[in-house]
Amino acid sequence: MKSLTYFIFASITAICIAVAACSSESQWDTYQEWRMENEAFYEQQKLVKNDDGTPFYTLLAPTWYSSSGVLIHYFNDRSKTEGNLSPLVTSTVDAKYIGRLYNDIPFDSSFTNTANGDSIFRFQPSSTITGWQIALTDMRVGDSARVVIPYQQGYEAQTTGSIPPYSTLVFDIKLVDIYRYELAQ
């Protein structure tokens, strides 16, 4: 009897794995053109230059996730925010933001939120996508930046709201405050 139970369990597990693999492959194929457009956009953004020929974006790849990378461009003079706190992933921060897909279609904005003040989104970076964690821990209170996040540090193969799988995300973010600065326990 135990052998039959084991056989049934193993068979069901194998079927589930096969179905998941097939559905992942078909999603990969279904979104091939979208994925390629998003990857090409990210690679093009790496090449964007300022008027003086310097790179527009800085590639952030933190030591805690060195194989990752998000692009960031600060709109403010960072010498004016030098000495301001940078959040930890366990901090609670107040930020304003607008999120867009690579093709400039907006999908989210803090400007529709008034719960914590005018357009303030209050959250812990650890509760967000990896790309936000990377960007926010580099930012200082008062910084405004554009962040380009490849799908690998975004929602990956998941559909989230109006965001298709394999989407490169573009966020304009202002780090308004660190509501609670917490160290990990």
Side-chain angles (χ1 to χ4, degrees), residues 57 73 75 95-100 104 110-111 132 139 144-148 170-174:
Y57 291 104
H73 173 79
F75 292 115
K96 294 183 179 191
Y97 72 91
I98 296 174
R100 295 180 184 87
D104 211 32
S110 67
F111 292 92
W132 268 63
M139 295 177 76
S144 293
R146 173 157 297 154
V147 182
V148 181
V170 180
F171 287 96
D172 289 329
I173 303 171
K174 178 172 180 73

Side-chain angles (χ1 to χ4, degrees), residues 39-61:
E39 289 172 350
F41 173 80
Y42 183 77
E43 292 303 318
Q44 289 169 352
Q45 295 308 293
K46 287 181 178 179
L47 304 174
V48 173
K49 303 282 185 200
N50 290 309
D51 291 339
D52 64 1
T54 58
F56 184 76
Y57 291 104
T58 300
L59 177 64
L60 294 179

